Structure formats: structure tokens, C-alpha cells
């Protein structure tokens, strides 16, 4: 049954597209045009959702690569989203589609352009009107300015979006601006750069929101306020993991079009508490051991550029390091989802949609979400703290798949963007060949968790302590006292004297000592250097100076101008199915 909006006819008339006459119809949800040739039995109908119309211009207009206008008084051009498959990724590339219409009269032309703009304003309430744009001129290949002004700015202008552009001059320039300057009137913040630039924006937006709410973000027991400002990412860096994991492609035009039409993708954020009352935020990786060592090593070779990460990875791998530590985690409800369920978080993800209802169960409208958030740790029926200890190659926590061009499925392929949980990956000490197999599987479609020395758990919070530091770890429990009272008791370790005596409690109640999972190294390491006793944390590309941390997942804390990765196969199926009924949902060319 058609909705009232669908049947509410806005405008209908005969228009010419090229040398063919079409019957054009504008309703509340779609703009359709159908060939009016009576001799052609296979009449072609094109239907563009109003939500994906970018803009309307009078005359015959070109926007990219350069704007040109030819106005005869009876023409108008409609710009819209047009999809195409990417050859290198699973996501879909978005391009600026364009169709030029010719009207019988100027009056009818003016009527069409007026109605189209009215429908866009009425039925696309989340479209931004004013954006604050930060450009990192040094990110990637120093093309940030060129990418914005040649590809992004023309699309913003076409859509009627005004922007205030700031070219950053130093580290944390964007973060400091967001924390201190007046942001009144801005609908969102856009970063033109890589993951480092996004991280600055993330800290600035979250910090500013908590300031205005009167909350202490350094207190791990505080439920953080959801951020009202959307964040847009224009990929222009050496690494664009967040963009890849939320859009599926690293393409400036695709990302700009998501911003223009006001797409909204909620995103979980992990707060990492360390040292005396300090906090950092992460969405893609909090890693200890291998990933921390690679980052620390790469800082010594910044002159190499992006190649330093490959070089440092090889050096750290050959060093064959592992570290003794104790990891405690608060499991998420296994009935909701699992990191081993072989599903992918795609656009319209059912797990994330149900999580919205669970996280904001008391909200009646979008405006009340900020006051009704119950947090990911409010359900005391979701288990007790579990503790494991021993020697680990690496310990990782991620709130998303963390997929990228080199790792198409990412660190945790079944991780979700907005379900209020993170995936904890424990890689126990093993021989170098075994660890190499684990690393190599990240570049293929093989299951990297299907190895005897790898564990993965869906969690709501994590504590990490060094081995043999039981007394200090007990003191650090004050970081999460507020959570212990809500989520059940603490599973105590068998002994504090050494990590080899800690018990790893399995999902089925089985216990196994870490001695069963620890392998004695047989390589002396690169250049026979002494293995350090302690690693560092890699928090989204930043080194944390304190090894002992407490992490808490905040469900849907921020929103991106994105919609998740679109499944190209399902969209093609949808298109083919609707073509049979003479209505095409998505235009492919």
C-alpha cells in the first residue's frame, strides 16, 4: 500500500530529455520520468529518490570538472546520486548523475525548479546548511587543498551548503578550535585528511559536548552525552580506515555526496582511561604488543613516509616479542550478536538498529536521545567480569571492522558500527610462523580467528594490567567501581603472583591455564636486541604512555555523514526486480 507521501502528487508534465519526450512526475519521495513514445513497448522509466537529489540548476549546467552554464530559458538540470561498482572494494562508488530537461515554456521551467527545491527542503531535514571544514594540508600526498576545492566545494555550492574553511597549521589545531571557539549555527564538522585528522575532530566534538553538558569526561563512571554535531570525512590521508569501514570506499566524491544529502550513521566510541585522570577516544584500534611496538618503531623512521609502517612491521615481527599481562573484560550479551557469526555490518544493519532501541529505550523522539541514553553497561544480566592472564603477542580492541585497502575485511570482520560493543582480540604467545599466518589472514578472506592461539570476545569494557602488578591493578579497579555494582561481581584470579597461574574462563565454563597457550620463543629476535618487558598502546595511531588502562564502549556517541557500507549485490537485485514493474529504485549507468 502506498503511503500518503507517495500518492501526494506534486507536479506532472511532459518534458524533453535530449530528443525524446518523457512524462515527468514529482511526488513526495521520487522524481520519475518515462519515455512517452507510444510505438516503443519497452518504455524506460527512471526513478530517483528525492532524498538523493543533490541540487537543481536552471539551464544546461555542468559542475565537474568545471562549472559551465548554458541557459535558453526553458531548460533545467537535475543532479543526483548515481552508483557504480568499485573494482577494488566491496563498497559502491557514488558519482554525480545529471539529467537535462527541456520544458515547453519558461513558466513551466520555473515551476519545476521551485517545486524541486521545496521538496528537498521539506523531505530532507538532516541535510546540512552550514559546515565547518578543516583541511590538513600535509596529510597523505599533500593534496588536501586540491581535493577540497576541485571536487568537494563545487558539490557543496550546488547543494546550497555554506562552509567555513580552516587550513590547519599545527597538530591539534582543529581540536583546540572545536573546544574553544563559537560553533553556533554549524550543522556539522568536516575533516579533509586521514585518520589522524579525524581523531582530532573526534576529540574536539566529544570534549566540547561534555563541556557544555557539565560532565567530566575524564571520569570513567560518567555516561557521556551524545554529540549533536555530525562529522564528515573527506579521505585525503595516508590511512583512511574510518572512512573505508563506514562507507566502503576511499573516494572524496562519494564521501562528499553522503555529506550533501545528510546521511547519518551512528558510531560507537571507546574511551581509554589511563594515568592520573586522562582520557583518549578510539573508534578503530586500541592495540598493545605488536601494534603498539610497530607504532613506536615507526616514529623513529618518519622520514620514510608511509613506507615506515611496512618497515617497522617487519622489524617488530622479526623481534618475536610477547608480553605478560592480565586482561579483564565485561562480556556483551551473546544472544544479541557474536564476533564469530560471519555477518557484516552493512547499510541498514539490523543488529545496530535493534541496538538503537536498546540503548535509547526511553526516547520518544530524536531530541530526547541525549537524555535517555542508558549506556552499554546498564544491563546487569549480561554477565560478570572475566579475567585471563599470560603472555600475549598482541591485545586489541576495536569498535568497527577496521577494514582498509590492505585488509579488506579488517581486524574483526563481524564487528558492528553502532551496537554499543567492541571486539576484544587476544593473540597468545606462539611461534613466528603461527603469528605470520594470523597476520597474513588479515589480507585474505580466511578466518583469522580460526587459530588455536587466537580468541575474540564481544565486550562492553576492558581492564588491562601488567603481570605481577596485582596490587596496582586492584587500585585501578576504582576506575570502574560504578560499573561493577551494575553488572555483577568480579571473577577473581586464582593468584596474583604470576600470569601463568591466571585462569582463562571459556564461554562454556571450561578453564585452561595460560601455560597451555604459551610457546617458548625460538628466535633471538632482530639484531639480538633485548626484548622490552613492557609494550605501549597504539590508540588510533597515537602512543599512550601508560600501559595499564581501562576502556569503556559508549554506544552511538557520535554520528557520521555516512550510511554504512552498501551491498552492491543486493542493490543490483533490487534494481533488477523493480525494473520488471517499470519502476527503478536506483539508477545504474
Amino acid at each position: 500500500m502506498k503511503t500518503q507521501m507517495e500518492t501526494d502528487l506534486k507536479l506532472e508534465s511532459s518534458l524533453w530529455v535530449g530528443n525524446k519526450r518523457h512524462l515527468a512526475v514529482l511526488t513526495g519521495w521520487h522524481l520519475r520520468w518515462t519515455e512517452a513514445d507510444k510505438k516503443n513497448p519497452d518504455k524506460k522509466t527512471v526513478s530517483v529518490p528525492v532524498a538523493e537529489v543533490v541540487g537543481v540548476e536552471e539551464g544546461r549546467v555542468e559542475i565537474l570538472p568545471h562549472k559551465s552554464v548554458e541557459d535558453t530559458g526553458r531548460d533545467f538540470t537535475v543532479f543526483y546520486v548515481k552508483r557504480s561498482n568499485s573494482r577494488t572494494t566491496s563498497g559502491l562508488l557514488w558519482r554525480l548523475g545529471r539529467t537535462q530537461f527541456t520544458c515547453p515554456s519558461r513558466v513551466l521551467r520555473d515551476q519545476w525548479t521551485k517545486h524541486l527545491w521545496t521538496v528537498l527542503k521539506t523531505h530532507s531535514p538532516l541535510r546540512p546548511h552550514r559546515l565547518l571544514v578543516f583541511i590538513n594540508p600535509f596529510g597523505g600526498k599533500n593534496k588536501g587543498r586540491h581535493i577540497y576545492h576541485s571536487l568537494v566545494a563545487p558539490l557543496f555550492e550546488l547543494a546550497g551548503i555554506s562552509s567555513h574553511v580552516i587550513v590547519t597549521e599545527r597538530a591539534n589545531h582543529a581540536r583546540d578550535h572545536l573546544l574553544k571557539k563559537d560553533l553556533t549555527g554549524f550543522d556539522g564538522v568536516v575533516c579533509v585528511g586521514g585518520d589522524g585528522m579525524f581523531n582530532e575532530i573526534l576529540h574536539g566534538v566529544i570534549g566540547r559536548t561534555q563541556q557544555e553538558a557539565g560532565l567530566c569526561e575524564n571520569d570513567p563512571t560518567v555516561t557521556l552525552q551524545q554529540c549533536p554535531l555530525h562529522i564528515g570525512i573527506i579521505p585525503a590521508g595516508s590511512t583512511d580506515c574510518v572512512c573505508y569501514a563506514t562507507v566502503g570506499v576511499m573516494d572524496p566524491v562519494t564521501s562528499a555526496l553522503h555529506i550533501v544529502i545528510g546521511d547519518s550513521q551512528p558510531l560507537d566510541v571507546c574511551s581509554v582511561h589511563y594515568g592520573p585522570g586522562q582520557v583518549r577516544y578510539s573508534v578503530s584500534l586500541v592495540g598493545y604488543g605488536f601494534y603498539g611496538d610497530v607504532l613506536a618503531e615507526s616514529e623513529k623512521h618518519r622520514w620514510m613516509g608511509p613506507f615506515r609502517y611496512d618497515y617497522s612491521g617487519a622489524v617488530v615481527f622479526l623481534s618475536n616479542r610477547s608480553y605478560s599481562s592480565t586482561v579483564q573484560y565485561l562480556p556483551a550479551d551473546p544472544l544479541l550478536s557474536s564476533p564469530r557469526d560471519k555477518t557484516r555490518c552493512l547499510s541498514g544493519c539490523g543488529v545496530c538498529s535493534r541496538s538503537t532501541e536498546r540503548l535509547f529505550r526511553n526516547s520518544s523522539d530524536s531530541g530526547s536521545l541525549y537524555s535517555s541514553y542508558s549506556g552499554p553497561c546498564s544491563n546487569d544480566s549480561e554477565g560478570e567480569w572475566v579475567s585471563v592472564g599470560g603472555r600475549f603477542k598482541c591485545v586489541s580492541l576495536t569498535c568497527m571492522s577496521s577494514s582498509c585497502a590492505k585488509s579488506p575485511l579488517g581486524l574483526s570482520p563481524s564487528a558492528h558500527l553502532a551496537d554499543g560493543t567492541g571486539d576484544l582480540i587476544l593473540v597468545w604467545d606462539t611461534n613466528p610462523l603461527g603469528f605470520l599466518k594470523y597476520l597474513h589472514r588479515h589480507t585474505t578472506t580466511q578466518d583469522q580467528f580460526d587459530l588455536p592461539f587466537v580468541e575474540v570476545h564481544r565486550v562492553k569494557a576492558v581492564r588491562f594490567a601488567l603481570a605481577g602488578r596485582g596490587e596496582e591493578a586492584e587500585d585501578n579497579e576504582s576506575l570502574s567501581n560504578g560499573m561493577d555494582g551494575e553488572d555483577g561481581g568480579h571473577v577473581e584470579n586464582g593468584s596474583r603472583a604470576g600470569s601463568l597461574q591466571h585462569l582463562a574462563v571459556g564461554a562454556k565454563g571450561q578453564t585452561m591455564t595460560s601455560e597451555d597457550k604459551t610457546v617458548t620463543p625460538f628466535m633471538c629476535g632482530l639484531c639480538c636486541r633485548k626484548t622490552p618487558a613492557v609494550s605501549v598502546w597504539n590508540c588510533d595511531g597515537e602512543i599512550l604512555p601508560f600501559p595499564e588502562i581501562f576502556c569503556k564502549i559508549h554506544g552511538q556517541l557520535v554520528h557520521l555523514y555516512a550510511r554504512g557500507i552498501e551491498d552492491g549485490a543486493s542493490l543490483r537485485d533490487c534494481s533488477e526486480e523493480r525494473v520488471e514493474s517499470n519502476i527503478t529504485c536506483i539508477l545504474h549507468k
Side-chain angles (χ1 to χ4, degrees):
M1 182 178 178
K2 294 185 177 181
T3 63
Q4 178 64 33
M5 189 67 71
E6 183 68 25
T7 57
D8 183 16
L9 185 65
K10 298 295 181 182
L11 190 60
E12 178 179 358
S13 67
S14 292
L15 303 176
W16 290 83
V17 178
N19 59 356
K20 293 184 179 181
R21 189 169 64 89
H22 288 69
L23 177 63
V25 180
L26 175 63
T27 68
W29 294 118
H30 288 85
L31 169 64
R32 296 191 181 96
W33 57 96
T34 306
E35 290 184 26
D37 186 0
K38 296 181 180 180
K39 298 179 181 180
N40 184 5
D42 300 324
K43 297 179 181 179
K44 179 183 177 183
T45 295
V46 177
S47 179
V48 177
V50 168
E52 296 185 0
V53 174
V54 176
V56 184
E57 291 279 339
E58 296 180 349
R60 296 177 176 270
V61 183
E62 293 270 9
I63 296 296
L64 297 177
H66 304 289
K67 185 173 182 178
S68 63
V69 181
E70 178 187 348
D71 192 1
T72 62
R74 297 186 299 130
D75 301 316
F76 69 95
T77 305
V78 177
F79 297 90
Y80 48 88
V81 172
K82 183 173 68 173
R83 292 167 174 80
S84 64
N85 289 314
S86 171
R87 296 180 179 179
T88 58
T89 67
S90 59
L92 293 175
L93 289 171
W94 283 19
R95 289 294 175 256
L96 186 64
R98 177 178 61 91
T99 298
Q100 296 171 345
F101 296 93
T102 300
C103 301
S105 67
R106 187 186 191 102
V107 173
L108 184 59
R109 191 275 302 271
D110 294 342
Q111 194 176 2
W112 268 98
T113 56
K114 179 182 177 181
H115 274 71
L116 280 166
W117 277 117
T118 300
V119 169
L120 287 180
K121 294 177 181 179
T122 305
H123 304 308
S124 302
L126 293 180
R127 292 197 178 202
H129 302 287
R130 188 164 179 244
L131 294 170
L132 178 59
V133 180
F134 291 97
I135 300 176
N136 179 3
F138 308 111
K141 298 180 181 180
N142 302 330
K143 293 185 177 181
R145 280 195 184 98
H146 174 74
I147 288 174
Y148 177 77
H149 291 293
S150 63
L151 298 176
V152 179
L155 296 178
F156 286 177
E157 181 183 356
L158 171 64
I161 299 173
S162 65
S163 56
H164 177 62
V165 180
I166 297 176
V167 179
T168 57
E169 300 174 351
R170 55 179 173 80
N172 293 319
H173 184 173
R175 184 203 64 182
D176 294 344
H177 184 98
L178 291 169
L179 289 174
K180 300 175 183 178
K181 301 297 183 179
D182 183 15
L183 303 180
T184 303
F186 290 109
D187 301 304
V189 184
V190 175
C191 64
V192 183
D195 289 332
M197 189 66 176
F198 169 79
N199 199 262
E200 274 196 44
I201 302 292
L202 181 72
H203 281 76
V205 169
I206 295 177
R208 179 60 175 265
T209 303
Q210 310 321 309
Q211 284 181 15
E212 294 181 349
L215 300 175
C216 177
E217 60 181 323
N218 298 324
D219 183 353
T221 64
V222 168
T223 298
L224 298 181
Q225 191 95 337
Q226 196 182 45
C227 302
L229 283 177
H230 276 61
I231 301 175
I233 307 172
I234 303 297
S238 54
T239 59
D240 298 290
C241 173
V242 179
C243 181
Y244 193 100
T246 55
V247 178
V249 295
M250 294 184 294
D251 177 66
V253 172
T254 300
S255 295
L257 290 173
H258 279 288
I259 296 171
V260 163
I261 69 174
D263 269 341
S264 182
Q265 171 63 53
L267 187 65
D268 298 335
V269 177
C270 174
S271 62
V272 184
H273 302 267
Y274 63 98
Q278 300 183 68
V279 64
R280 288 197 65 84
Y281 299 105
S282 166
V283 296
S284 60
L285 172 66
V286 183
Y288 183 84
F290 178 78
Y291 296 110
D293 291 346
V294 169
L295 181 61
E297 182 71 25
S298 71
E299 289 298 305
K300 306 173 186 176
H301 311 285
R302 297 190 67 88
W303 56 272
M304 290 185 175
F307 178 70
R308 68 184 184 272
Y309 298 112
D310 295 328
Y311 172 79
S312 301
V315 169
V316 173
F317 171 77
L318 293 174
S319 299
N320 191 35
R321 302 169 186 169
S322 61
Y323 300 93
S324 295
S325 53
T326 301
V327 182
Q328 300 165 337
Y329 61 90
L330 184 64
D333 188 348
L335 299 178
L336 299 176
S337 64
S338 166
R340 301 295 304 277
D341 59 15
K342 304 297 183 182
T343 62
R344 291 190 66 203
C345 184
L346 300 174
S347 179
C349 173
V351 172
C352 294
S353 297
R354 291 189 294 272
S355 297
T356 301
E357 300 172 1
R358 174 173 52 87
L359 294 171
F360 307 107
R361 58 173 59 92
N362 297 323
S363 66
S364 58
D365 54 67
S366 59
S368 64
L369 291 182
Y370 308 130
S371 60
S372 62
Y373 173 59
S374 57
C377 305
S378 61
N379 190 343
D380 60 4
S381 66
E382 294 188 21
E384 299 178 331
W385 284 88
V386 178
S387 179
V388 294
R391 295 194 68 86
F392 298 96
K393 283 285 189 182
C394 58
V395 176
S396 307
L397 178 65
T398 180
C399 293
M400 58 172 60
S401 67
S402 296
S403 56
C404 62
K406 292 186 177 181
S407 179
L409 297 182
L411 288 175
S412 186
S414 295
H416 289 274
L417 295 174
D419 67 342
T421 69
D423 284 356
L424 173 66
I425 305 167
L426 304 175
V427 181
W428 297 80
D429 192 12
T430 186
N431 61 71
L433 291 180
F435 189 55
L436 181 62
K437 179 185 293 186
Y438 168 75
L439 295 176
H440 178 261
R441 288 190 177 185
H442 286 78
T443 65
T444 68
T445 57
Q446 288 183 285
D447 184 2
Q448 63 261 43
F449 302 141
D450 189 22
L451 294 168
F453 53 88
V454 180
E455 295 181 17
V456 60
H457 306 278
R458 188 142 289 171
V459 302
K460 298 181 293 182
V462 174
R463 299 191 194 106
F464 182 91
L466 300 176
R469 297 284 296 276
E471 291 77 5
E472 291 88 340
E474 253 188 1
D475 293 338
N476 287 338
E477 289 181 15
S478 62
L479 287 173
S480 53
N481 282 339
M483 296 173 59
D484 286 339
E486 296 178 2
D487 290 85
H490 180 83
V491 178
E492 293 290 348
N493 294 313
S495 171
R496 299 176 185 169
S499 63
L500 294 182
Q501 297 179 10
H502 290 296
L503 298 180
V505 182
K508 297 182 179 179
Q510 299 174 346
T511 60
M512 180 181 353
T513 64
S514 59
E515 290 176 326
D516 298 329
K517 297 190 175 185
T518 304
V519 178
T520 302
F522 62 82
M523 289 182 65
C524 65
L526 187 68
C527 303
C528 298
R529 291 185 295 184
K530 182 179 179 181
T531 300
V534 178
S535 180
V536 296
W537 284 98
N538 178 344
C539 182
D540 283 359
E542 298 290 333
I543 294 177
L544 296 189
F546 294 87
E548 298 192 347
I549 64 173
F550 170 73
C551 302
K552 179 180 176 181
I553 311 299
H554 301 267
Q556 305 186 12
L557 186 61
V558 298
H559 282 75
L560 304 184
Y561 284 118
R563 64 171 59 178
I565 299 175
E566 290 184 308
D567 186 356
S570 65
L571 283 172
R572 286 193 298 273
D573 292 342
C574 169
S575 177
E576 292 168 1
E577 179 180 331
R578 298 195 180 193
V579 163
E580 296 177 1
S581 62
N582 207 28
I583 298 176
T584 304
C585 173
I586 304 297
L587 180 65
H588 294 279
K589 288 187 177 180

